[in-house]
Amino acid sequence: MEKQMIISVGREYGSRGHIVAKRIAEKLNITLYDKNILKEIAQKNHADYSELEKFDEKPRNKLFSRRIGEFSSSMENEMANIQFEYLRAKAAKGESFVVVGRCADMALAGEKGLVTIFICADMEKRVARLMEDDKLSENEAKMTILRKDKKRKDYHDEYAEYEWGTADAYDLCLNIGDMDIEEAADFIISFANFKLKGIL
Amino acid sequence: MLAAQIMAVSIFLVMFVLIVMDKIERQWVTLGCGVLTLILVFGVGLHSMTAITETLNVKGIFTMEFWHISGQGEESGSGINWATIIFIAGMMIMVEGMAKAGFFRWLCMRLAKLVNYKPIPLFIAFMVMSAILSMFIDSITVILFLAAVTVELARLLKFDPVPMILSEVFCANLGGSATMCGDPPNIIIGTSMGYSFFDFLKNTGAIAGISLIVIIFYFYFVYRKELLKNEDEKIDPSTLPNPKEAITDKKYFIMSCIIFGCAVALLITHSMTGLTVAFIGTFIAILTLICFCRHIPELLKKVDYKTLLFFIGLFMVVGGLEQTGILEKIAGFIGDVSGGDVKLMVAIILWISAIASAFVDNIPFAATMIPVVKSLAATTGVHPDILAWTLSMGTDIGGSATPIGASANVVGTSVAAKNGHPIGWGKYCKTAAPATIIVVMISMIFIFVRYC
């Protein structure tokens, strides 16, 4: 790839956003960053990954955390910040990559090669998918989606100045409910290419 | 008066809630609430210009007693405690100079080398060093350097740094309780009630000393298995750091050692020399700036002005509670509940201070409680010293129980997390909460036996 391309993918729970992001990375032959960031950090520090994962993509508990300058007792904050730094360092090195969630759209704001995408899907389709894949009842699937989306929104909105999932905050918001994975991945890659070439 | 009291309490509660919510930086919260206190409580409620001047307390700075006391230490009036603010600012400048010279990193590395990088001796040595350094230097700085070196050594020696960091944090809070300059609540208590460095050392210092011995054994038994997990792993000696490399400039290093020595000597002898902590802070700051004259802007830039502004606003808000007689009412309530029984009074102050400090910032709590303690002593006839030492131990030690109780805890857990070792509430409280209860119990028994 000639120019640096960083595709940040925000996604609703159950929308298949993660699968699409993975397919984009495969098609472009670039790295996909998701939970593997914390896995790498844990490995580097001889730490237990499950200890780090507990605080990943979660909002800070405002009542039970305290901040002193750059130091925070909120482990959710700290895990977010080390991932932001990790991504910024990768971007500064000129690496092209796809990143899922992690409020990367905010963390990497200002990077020349950044394209921010938000993937959503209709509620019925997401519920149906969870019922089939995770063998949940309709009510359980709906509750899981609402809970997970709220957590993602709270986490994102803690760091970003704009709300999670609002159209004007992203370069592209895409409802992929009626698309298959290949179509969605190709569409996003074409869009990213157009954007970086200045056509859009 | 009633309207002024309601306004004073409302402003105080709003301040506390805003501090806990952490949406607005805490110094703006206290300063904003402080200005509201001056306007609404003193201006609109009390129509008292005297209350405003007493709370701002600026006149005091220009008196001789502010810088030098002949004879017994005097209690300061209400309002902004400028002596505390000037002393803390002076020590901040000194600490920045020491950090620039590489003093703290050198000390940590030197000690690690001295114990041959063996996990258990290292664990004990760092706990003791954390406690001793915190007697003179703010615990944030102590933990900032100790935790960073602990993580670095843990990576090289392949041990889990979390047990060591948690023990260091606890000992920093414990060491801070031993002296007048160790922890902000003690500086406020000392300057407000006219105590010297030695007064603290003889009283809270004795409790902290006994507690430290018990706590070293406690943490050793709790963590020994985790620390010895990778004991047999072979370490390449060439990867171990050389303490000398920590020193950035030999000249500055020597000067910062001398300045630190001066600060310790002045603090230890201040009851004999009559020099106040405000004088010591100013002197040490000037001395540091002279020695590091080429780096004056850098050192001044690193001073934590936010904390100093936080203190100023806080004292104004507490001044509102004091001037409107709210704190006397609280004192009266404690006096009534205890029925004049000193032991019950000590137990109430100690445990309430400890529990409150575990969840809210212990500095506003201590600043609020000092007038309460003074009033309680005046109305019940209990010696104010007993209540002062009780308040000091309660606020200093209570903060150790949770990750948010004291600044050192926040810095320690944050440094660990930044290096891939997050410490949640469960992991923190599992060992720190029982340790806190042990030390509060020791404090209570000590105060009962020695003073009651």
Side-chain angles (χ1 to χ4, degrees):
Chain A
M1 195 175 294
E2 293 167 29
K3 275 188 177 177
Q4 182 183 26
M5 183 188 280
I6 302 167
I7 301 178
S8 139
V9 180
R11 74 291 181 214
E12 281 182 341
Y13 190 73
S15 67
R16 299 176 298 164
H18 193 279
I19 304 168
V20 172
K22 196 177 165 205
R23 193 70 195 111
I24 296 170
E26 283 166 1
K27 280 176 178 274
L28 293 172
N29 197 23
I30 56 179
T31 316
L32 173 79
Y33 291 120
D34 50 16
K35 280 184 185 297
N36 56 8
I37 301 177
L38 282 186
K39 275 183 188 156
E40 195 185 316
I41 292 168
Q43 203 175 11
K44 196 178 126 200
N45 292 290
H46 311 291
D48 182 359
Y49 165 67
S50 64
E51 287 291 317
L52 280 78
E53 196 204 9
K54 274 190 235 168
F55 306 102
D56 188 24
E57 279 204 297
K58 282 186 184 153
R60 170 175 74 100
N61 186 326
K62 289 183 182 114
L63 204 59
F64 292 108
S65 63
R66 215 178 120 190
R67 202 192 310 262
I68 295 172
E70 62 185 285
F71 303 101
S72 172
S73 71
S74 159
M75 295 300 109
E76 291 85 1
N77 267 173
E78 293 296 351
M79 287 306 105
N81 285 327
I82 52 175
Q83 294 187 83
F84 296 161
E85 275 167 33
Y86 180 96
L87 291 170
R88 284 175 189 140
K90 294 284 177 193
K93 275 186 196 163
E95 189 184 310
S96 291
F97 56 88
V98 179
V99 52
V100 181
R102 272 132 206 103
C103 200
D105 47 320
M106 180 286 305
L108 299 170
E111 290 293 339
K112 271 188 182 167
L114 178 68
V115 182
T116 56
I117 311 288
F118 188 81
I119 294 177
C120 54
D122 299 333
M123 182 56 109
E124 314 84 84
K125 294 207 166 76
R126 293 196 280 154
V127 168
R129 191 174 159 242
L130 251 72
M131 286 170 69
E132 194 185 323
D133 290 359
D134 298 350
K135 310 284 173 241
L136 299 178
S137 69
E138 188 179 346
N139 194 39
E140 281 171 343
K142 204 169 181 179
M143 293 311 285
T144 307
I145 288 169
L146 292 174
R147 201 179 61 245
K148 294 269 187 186
D149 277 356
K150 185 182 181 312
K151 206 179 270 180
R152 285 178 183 175
K153 179 177 164 37
D154 289 347
Y155 166 81
H156 179 276
D157 294 355
E158 195 174 324
Y159 302 100
E161 284 171 11
Y162 45 88
E163 277 186 38
W164 179 78
T166 47
D168 56 352
Y170 300 87
D171 294 320
L172 174 69
C173 282
L174 188 63
N175 185 329
I176 62 162
D178 293 324
M179 295 168 96
D180 68 30
I181 301 298
E182 290 299 314
E183 274 174 347
D186 289 338
F187 184 86
I188 290 169
I189 291 170
S190 304
F191 174 83
N193 279 323
F194 279 135
K195 198 216 162 195
L196 294 182
K197 280 177 189 161
I199 296 169
L200 288 171
Chain B
M1 189 61 161
L2 186 67
Q5 285 178 334
I6 293 169
M7 281 192 277
V9 173
S10 306
I11 292 171
F12 182 79
L13 292 176
V14 167
M15 179 190 81
F16 241 113
V17 170
L18 289 175
I19 291 176
V20 170
M21 280 170 65
D22 197 22
K23 275 274 176 197
I24 307 168
E25 285 197 77
R26 62 179 193 157
Q27 74 275 13
W28 304 127
V29 170
T30 61
L31 277 178
C33 291
V35 172
L36 278 180
T37 302
L38 295 183
I39 298 168
L40 296 178
V41 180
F42 300 147
V44 180
L46 295 177
H47 307 289
S48 168
M49 196 59 202
T50 321
I52 295 177
T53 49
E54 272 180 11
T55 301
L56 290 176
N57 210 7
V58 182
K59 242 182 1 190
I61 302 172
F62 303 101
T63 58
M64 191 58 196
E65 291 74 43
F66 188 81
W67 304 100
H68 184 269
I69 297 167
S70 42
Q72 193 65 29
E74 286 172 23
E75 289 185 13
S76 70
S78 63
I80 301 173
N81 188 332
W82 290 108
T84 296
I85 290 157
I86 292 172
F87 175 73
I88 292 175
M91 293 305 267
M92 280 176 182
I93 293 173
M94 178 191 79
V95 164
E96 286 306 331
M98 292 167 79
K100 186 166 177 55
F103 176 86
F104 296 108
R105 204 176 133 74
W106 169 83
L107 191 62
C108 297
M109 291 303 185
R110 188 82 199 88
L111 203 59
K113 198 176 178 185
L114 216 63
V115 295
N116 290 323
Y117 302 99
K118 297 273 177 212
I120 294 294
L122 192 68
F123 174 69
I124 295 168
F126 273 21
M127 273 201 278
V128 174
M129 180 164 68
S130 176
I132 292 175
L133 278 178
S134 298
M135 287 167 70
F136 303 98
I137 292 167
D138 73 288
S139 54
I140 295 181
T141 309
V142 173
I143 290 304
L144 193 56
F145 284 93
L146 258 181
V149 171
T150 302
V151 168
E152 194 181 331
L153 290 173
R155 220 172 270 157
L156 294 171
L157 305 173
K158 298 186 177 67
F159 64 82
D160 181 2
V162 172
M164 217 181 254
I165 290 174
L166 291 180
S167 318
E168 288 159 7
V169 165
F170 194 92
C171 290
N173 293 327
L174 192 54
S177 71
T179 65
M180 182 172 163
C181 56
D183 208 13
N186 285 14
I187 305 168
I188 305 171
I189 293 170
T191 50
S192 303
M193 299 183 72
Y195 296 127
S196 70
F197 184 87
F198 259 112
D199 290 333
F200 272 93
L201 203 60
K202 280 186 293 187
N203 296 285
T204 57
I207 302 172
I210 297 166
S211 304
L212 180 64
I213 297 167
V214 176
I215 283 308
I216 288 173
F217 279 106
Y218 168 81
F219 279 124
Y220 170 74
F221 283 112
V222 169
Y223 287 134
R224 68 187 191 286
K225 276 184 196 159
E226 283 175 62
L227 288 164
L228 293 173
K229 217 188 277 175
N230 296 323
E231 201 193 23
D232 300 331
E233 284 229 24
K234 285 203 171 145
I235 311 294
D236 178 6
S238 66
T239 58
L240 296 171
N242 181 0
K244 279 184 187 165
E245 285 168 9
I247 300 170
T248 54
D249 186 304
K250 211 169 180 180
K251 190 179 83 185
Y252 285 145
F253 177 78
I254 294 167
M255 282 194 295
S256 63
C257 287
I258 295 169
I259 295 168
F260 182 51
C262 277
V264 172
L266 284 171
L267 283 167
I268 289 174
T269 58
H270 86 124
S271 59
M272 289 169 267
T273 58
L275 299 173
T276 63
V277 288
F279 178 89
I280 297 169
T282 311
F283 176 74
I284 290 300
I286 293 170
L287 197 61
T288 307
L289 293 176
I290 292 170
C291 292
F292 288 78
C293 58
R294 267 193 264 165
H295 304 278
I296 290 176
E298 190 190 331
L299 292 188
L300 291 179
K301 215 171 142 186
K302 281 190 173 170
V303 169
D304 185 2
Y305 296 103
K306 290 178 180 178
T307 298
L308 301 178
L309 291 173
F310 166 74
F311 274 111
I312 293 172
L314 174 67
F315 288 130
M316 287 199 272
V317 178
V318 174
L321 294 178
E322 206 177 349
Q323 295 278 352
T324 52
I326 291 291
L327 299 180
E328 275 175 30
K329 282 197 162 82
I330 296 174
F333 176 72
I334 296 174
D336 288 345
V337 170
S338 62
D341 182 348
V342 190
K343 282 185 181 164
L344 194 54
M345 230 178 274
V346 165
I348 290 172
I349 294 174
L350 187 69
W351 285 99
I352 287 180
S353 306
I355 294 166
S357 298
F359 298 98
V360 295
D361 198 332
N362 63 2
I363 301 167
F365 187 82
T368 315
M369 282 301 285
I370 290 163
V372 173
V373 161
K374 279 186 190 175
S375 173
L376 195 59
T379 51
T380 59
V382 175
H383 201 287
D385 292 3
I386 304 173
L387 302 181
W389 310 138
T390 306
L391 177 64
S392 164
M393 289 313 292
T395 50
D396 292 343
I397 300 308
S400 297
T402 68
I404 58 168
S407 306
N409 316 4
V410 177
V411 174
T413 50
S414 175
V415 170
K418 282 181 201 303
N419 289 282
H421 296 277
I423 304 169
W425 267 72
K427 202 176 199 178
Y428 188 97
C429 296
K430 199 175 152 189
T431 54
T436 306
I437 294 169
I438 291 171
V439 177
V440 175
M441 287 300 291
I442 292 173
S443 306
M444 193 168 74
I445 294 165
F446 185 96
I447 293 167
F448 282 176
V449 172
R450 188 164 167 186
Y451 310 109
C452 300

